[in-house]
Amino acid sequence: MAFISTRAPKGDRYSLAEALRLGPAPDGGLFMPETVEPLDATFFEQLPGQSLTATGKAVLAGLLGGKISADVLGTNALDTDALDTSVLNRIVDDALDFPIPLIEAAPGRHVLELFHGPTLAFKDVGARFLARLLEATQPAGRKSTVLVATSGDTGGAVAQAFHGLDGIDVVVLYPRGKVSPLQERQFTTLGGNVRAFAVDGVFDDCQRLVKEAFADRELAEQLGLTSANSINVGRLLPQAIYYVYASAQLEAAAAAPIFVVPSGNFGNLTAGLLAHRLGLDAQFVAATNRNDVVPEYLISGRFEPRPSVRTLSNAMDVGHPNNFERILHLFNGDKEALCGVVAGHRVDDSVTRDTIARVCREHGYLLDPHTAVGWAAADARGLDQAIVLATAHPAKFGEVVEPAIGGEVPIPEQLLQHLDKTVLSQPLDTGFEAFRRVLTT
Ligand SMILES: *Cc1c(COP(=O)(O)O)cnc(C)c1O
């Protein structure tokens, strides 16, 4: 399977290893598989009853493999230049070592809980795959360094995903005193191949330092700098797995599922559309908070990015959703075709808060503010059957959820276990020279 840039579909072709290492394409576009062929119907008929990892192996073979045999759930399904089947299968077993349950939280309303990984958010899925794909495609004898600036959540997901892997170091930059103590501990207590620096500035300073490091050719080459940010195709592809897995668990007689996807940068929705391209019979709702550039496009046909505004679902506060370029690419820029598969809906904070309270009261189910946006969008569209993607555990957003429900949210073990560990980060000032020195020593 070759990868191409969204900006030059007929241009250069890249291997998986190159696409993973580059992050964005050299022309500024984003990598996509050159073709995604629909799997035949027998593939989907075999899925009910299969485990998450068996489904994952088959779906990734579909996305990465050239030719797929009818017996795709067998052992010899993959035909790719980059990875052989046994390597890919091991990656799937390793990366998806937590469950993704589909819960019927209210009649006809399913919730796909993507938050049972180490940092209790769906980004664990993509980050854990990217880490292992990078490790597996690393040229022999080479080392690389993953550089990430974080305002909170990404640092934890990336650090936990790469911790303990061979030949890859992780450097996390974060603004000192500006992330929550719980978040800080997710990436500062690991040690080993994960180093964290508390920058004496704001998030933008951290991001600038990362950019300067990538722009320093000599440094980038010497350290094998690699980015793990959310536009990396290695984070995107594995997210297609859980759409296929969830739909296989619904009643065979049920109509095509409608997935409601709480969206910010639109990577999660893009992955759903890749699953659709593989032949998954499904519809989608793109649910956003007030940052509704994409729902606006679906109505007006105009894509008008604008500065983001702060909301209760802050991981979705994105004013210029990068992955939208991938979605347009999948539909060849045809808005009508896109609207045939995806509807948009915007949810304001007051509704988000009310939804958390009401769903807790009426159904005893706790929603985090992001999942609540999805739930409210399903309600507003009058869906009597829907699968809402639950992107984070409610305990991660106790400051929003607890006042809404008037009670406490128990903190799960995965979060608590970091609290009593020692913070190992080092202070760093905002100048590039000091950063360059610590990177090279
Ligand atoms: C990142 C994130 C989202 C948005 O996902 P995109 O793929 O960027 O659309 C939604 N919810 C949570 C909790 C997130 O962390």
Side-chain angles (χ1 to χ4, degrees):
M1 167 58 67
F3 290 82
I4 47 100
S5 165
T6 46
R7 302 209 180 150
K10 307 253 179 282
D12 292 341
R13 302 162 81 239
Y14 297 82
S15 69
L16 175 64
E18 288 171 316
L20 292 173
R21 230 148 287 274
L22 284 166
D27 63 7
L30 301 178
F31 285 116
M32 285 293 271
E34 184 176 31
T35 54
V36 181
E37 297 295 334
L39 299 165
D40 64 41
T42 57
F43 170 83
F44 292 95
E45 285 160 14
Q46 293 174 63
L47 287 177
Q50 295 288 343
S51 67
L52 174 62
T53 50
T55 307
K57 290 165 192 173
V59 170
L60 277 190
L63 287 170
L64 290 172
K67 285 195 289 297
I68 305 298
S69 67
D71 177 28
V72 75
L73 289 161
T75 49
N76 261 325
L78 193 69
D79 167 23
T80 143
D81 50 6
L83 291 173
D84 66 41
T85 312
S86 64
V87 174
L88 191 75
N89 287 353
R90 182 171 47 74
I91 291 174
V92 174
D93 286 329
D94 235 36
L96 285 181
D97 66 347
F98 53 88
I100 301 187
L102 183 70
I103 311 279
E104 190 165 14
R109 183 64 53 84
H110 287 83
V111 178
L112 184 62
E113 293 186 345
L114 302 170
F115 54 67
H116 295 283
T119 71
L120 303 183
F122 88 99
K123 289 190 176 73
D124 283 329
V125 177
R128 289 175 68 78
F129 267 96
L130 173 63
R132 285 155 185 80
L133 286 167
L134 275 170
E135 183 188 46
T137 57
Q138 175 139 287
R142 254 197 69 180
K143 282 190 75 96
S144 44
T145 303
V146 170
L147 209 51
V148 55
T150 185
S151 55
D153 270 352
T154 307
V158 170
Q160 302 271 343
F162 283 82
H163 183 230
L165 295 190
D166 272 347
I168 307 183
D169 290 331
V170 178
V171 174
V172 182
L173 299 183
Y174 68 104
R176 178 164 51 203
K178 298 194 177 63
V179 306
S180 78
L182 216 84
Q183 284 177 327
E184 185 180 32
R185 276 171 180 73
Q186 292 194 325
F187 51 82
T188 57
T189 62
L190 294 165
N193 64 332
V194 178
R195 284 197 292 167
F197 293 95
V199 175
D200 192 12
V202 294
F203 172 63
D204 290 339
D205 294 308
C206 303
Q207 218 163 17
R208 179 180 46 76
L209 287 171
V210 167
K211 279 200 181 130
E212 284 183 298
F214 276 98
D216 183 331
R217 285 291 183 86
E218 193 193 322
L219 183 72
E221 185 58 32
Q222 183 190 343
L223 298 177
L225 286 189
T226 302
S227 149
N229 79 17
S230 65
I231 54 166
N232 196 302
V233 74
R235 283 179 57 165
L236 193 67
L237 300 176
Q239 293 178 211
I241 294 170
Y242 44 72
Y243 290 91
V244 177
Y245 176 66
S247 91
Q249 289 175 68
L250 293 178
E251 295 281 318
I258 302 177
F259 287 98
V260 185
V261 188
S263 295
N265 223 344
F266 283 80
N268 213 358
L269 180 65
T270 306
L273 295 171
L274 282 170
H276 179 257
R277 190 53 59 91
L278 276 178
L280 180 72
D281 188 14
Q283 298 275 312
F284 301 85
V285 176
T288 70
N289 56 33
R290 276 182 57 214
N291 297 285
D292 62 346
V293 172
V294 172
E296 277 294 312
Y297 166 85
L298 292 169
I299 295 165
S300 70
R302 283 190 303 274
F303 183 64
E304 292 171 341
R306 53 174 193 259
S308 64
V309 294
R310 276 186 76 109
T311 74
L312 294 176
S313 45
N314 56 33
M316 293 162 32
D317 293 348
V318 180
H320 189 155
N322 287 318
N323 283 296
F324 188 64
E325 183 166 336
R326 287 189 158 120
I327 294 177
L328 280 184
H329 166 84
L330 274 174
F331 288 85
N332 288 321
D334 181 345
K335 173 176 170 283
E336 293 314 310
L338 176 58
C339 287
V341 183
V342 182
H345 194 84
R346 160 188 139 164
V347 175
D348 290 352
D349 276 353
S350 59
V351 176
T352 303
R353 213 183 266 114
D354 290 349
T355 302
I356 294 171
R358 184 172 48 80
V359 173
C360 175
R361 198 173 58 238
E362 291 178 2
H363 307 293
Y365 189 83
L366 278 188
L367 299 167
D368 92 288
H370 306 81
T371 310
V373 167
W375 187 293
D379 285 347
R381 297 192 59 81
L383 303 180
D384 47 8
Q385 294 284 336
I387 299 177
V388 177
L389 268 54
T391 52
H393 190 289
K396 288 195 89 169
F397 299 92
E399 71 288 358
V400 179
V401 178
E402 292 188 344
I405 63 170
E408 276 187 25
V409 184
I411 301 184
E413 182 54 30
Q414 284 111 304
L415 290 187
L416 283 177
Q417 65 179 353
H418 301 291
L419 269 181
D420 50 1
K421 293 195 186 138
T422 314
V423 171
L424 302 170
S425 64
Q426 303 164 46
L428 185 71
D429 66 39
T430 55
F432 181 60
E433 274 316 307
F435 182 42
R436 196 179 198 285
R437 255 195 318 278
V438 297
L439 281 178
T440 48
T441 50

